[in-house]
């Protein structure tokens, strides 16, 4: 019996395996459940006790030999198949791209604005969209029944006329002053609401970003330089900025900010109505009344504030002519911002 066993070694070693089929035949013949090795293990039970040790060790060697050959050749065949699959494959072909979504243009502008101000030490603050009269008006020096309240086209909450949808992000100015001591340096992006008929140039909801800087000896020159820095970062270093006197109850003096038209570079076009300038927001020195109302000593501290429209800035940056596009969710429009972050 032992001699028989010896002859199987050369048989297993010499078995010709050249492809998947002969490999399978090898497996069936030698190492499958009904194969030769299993059969020999059955016979092993009947081997005389004094031969068991030798027979058992040889049988295990045979088993390892058969399984080892099987594994080695199986790996070879698999590698070969993988190589065959790649033969003739053009590695220079471009990838089939997965269609990616695009960020909304307003989100792109918002992130840009935040990162520009973060670089010069501004933090980002937030506040609720449903506000009370105090944070939208009174705390910002709008006296009761003052006509400036009318200018804001407010949506009031019917059940509680003290509550409203905020008409500007200046509400967050008040909240920041309530909760922080100077020095304060923060921007406040957010959605605002006004009761206006929807058209290409006006909408009942839009976005603003407010800025507030309060410290000792803050001057109008600081305001101008901060905004210069901002528009040059966002629109390019040739952009000009100008301030026109204006009125807001919460700033004194107040100004409206224009930048040289990004589309025609100041030469005059439809977007800037041939003036070469476009308005991007309001600004001014925080009115001492507002500082005092919010518990900040106006003798010790001064500050500036500004507010800009995110839609307006986005329209200028990308040459978008209709505000409604931002809320219509048309993928033909949104898809054009792919790759922008
Ligand atoms: N809140 C003003 C508006 O919505 C803009 C503004 C903000 C003006 C801060 C001055 C200072 O029109």
């Amino acid at each position: 019996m032992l001699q028989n066993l010896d002859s199987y070694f050369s048989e297993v070693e010499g078995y010709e395996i050249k492809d998947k089929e002969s490999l399978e035949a090898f497996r069936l013949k030698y190492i499958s459940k009904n194969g030769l090795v299993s059969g020999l293990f059955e016979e092993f039970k009947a081997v005389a006790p004094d031969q068991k040790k030798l027979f058992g060790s040889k049988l295990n060697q045979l088993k390892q030999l058969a399984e080892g050959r099987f594994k080695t050749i199986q790996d070879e065949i698999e590698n070969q198949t993988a190589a065959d699959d790649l033969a003739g494959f053009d590695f220079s072909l471009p990838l089939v791209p997965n269609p990616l979504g695009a960020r909304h243009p307003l989100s792109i502008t918002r992130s840009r604005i935040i990162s520009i101000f973060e670089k010069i030490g501004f933090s980002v603050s937030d506040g609720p969209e449903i506000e009370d009269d105090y944070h939208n008006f009174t705390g910002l020096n709008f006296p009761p029944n003052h006509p400036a309240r009318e200018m804001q086209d407010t949506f009031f909450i019917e059940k509680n006329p003290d509550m409203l949808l905020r008409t500007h992000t200046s509400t967050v100015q008040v909240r920041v002053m309530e909760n922080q001591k100077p020095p304060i340096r923060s921007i406040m992006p957010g959605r605002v609401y006004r009761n206006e008929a929807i058209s290409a140039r006006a909408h009942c909801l839009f976005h603003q970003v407010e800025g507030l800087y309060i410290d000792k000896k803050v001057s109008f020159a600081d305001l101008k330089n901060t905004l210069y820095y901002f528009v040059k970062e966002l629109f390019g270093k040739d952009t000009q900025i100008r301030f026109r006197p204006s009125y807001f109850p919460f700033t004194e003096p107040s100004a409206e900010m224009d930048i040289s038209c990004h589309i025609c570079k100041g030469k005059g076009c439809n977007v800037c109505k041939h003036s070469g300038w476009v308005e991007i927001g309001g600004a001014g020195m925080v009115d001492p009344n507002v500082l005092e109302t919010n518990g900040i000593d106006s003798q010790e501290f001064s500050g500036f504030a500004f507010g800009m429209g995110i839609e307006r800035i986005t329209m200028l940056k990308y040459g978008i002519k209709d505000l409604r596009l931002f809320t219509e969710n048309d993928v033909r429009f949104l898809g054009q911002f792919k790759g922008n972050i």
Side-chain angles (χ1 to χ4, degrees), residues 140 152 167-170 173 194 206 208-211 248 250-251 254-255 281-284 304-308:
L140 286 162
Q152 301 260 344
T167 59
H168 52 181
T169 41
S170 304
Q173 256 193 60
R194 291 194 193 176
F206 55 100
Q208 290 186 331
V209 57
E210 190 90 0
F248 300 102
F250 38 96
T251 46
S254 303
F304 66 70
F306 57 85
M308 299 181 286

Side-chain angles (χ1 to χ4, degrees), residues 219-229 241-243 304:
S219 70
F220 205 95
D222 296 321
L223 167 63
K224 273 180 133 177
N225 270 317
T226 305
L227 292 167
Y228 262 122
Y229 155 77
I241 186 168
R242 76 175 183 189
F243 292 81
F304 66 70

Side-chain angles (χ1 to χ4, degrees), residues 239-298:
T239 315
Q240 301 295 308
I241 186 168
R242 76 175 183 189
F243 292 81
R244 283 178 288 110
S246 185
Y247 171 76
F248 300 102
F250 38 96
T251 46
E252 181 60 35
S254 303
E256 245 141 62
M257 303 177 278
D258 296 340
I259 58 165
S260 53
C261 181
H262 176 64
I263 311 285
C264 64
K265 306 270 177 264
K267 288 193 197 77
C269 68
N270 285 341
V271 173
C272 60
K273 298 201 211 92
H274 300 280
S275 70
W277 295 94
V278 282
E279 188 191 320
I280 59 162
M285 300 307 291
V286 181
D287 192 303
N289 271 344
V290 174
L291 294 175
E292 296 292 339
T293 311
N294 291 293
I296 294 173
D297 183 352
S298 64

Side-chain angles (χ1 to χ4, degrees), residues 123-128 131 134-135 171-186 188 212 214 290-291 293-296:
S123 61
V124 178
S125 309
D126 204 0
E131 266 293 7
Y134 178 79
H135 288 93
T171 53
V172 192
Q173 256 193 60
V174 179
R175 291 189 175 275
V176 169
M177 285 189 265
E178 281 169 349
N179 295 314
Q180 286 176 38
K181 299 236 162 311
I184 292 171
R185 215 184 303 166
S186 201
M188 306 128 207
L212 180 66
I214 301 176
V290 174
L291 294 175
T293 311
N294 291 293
I296 294 173

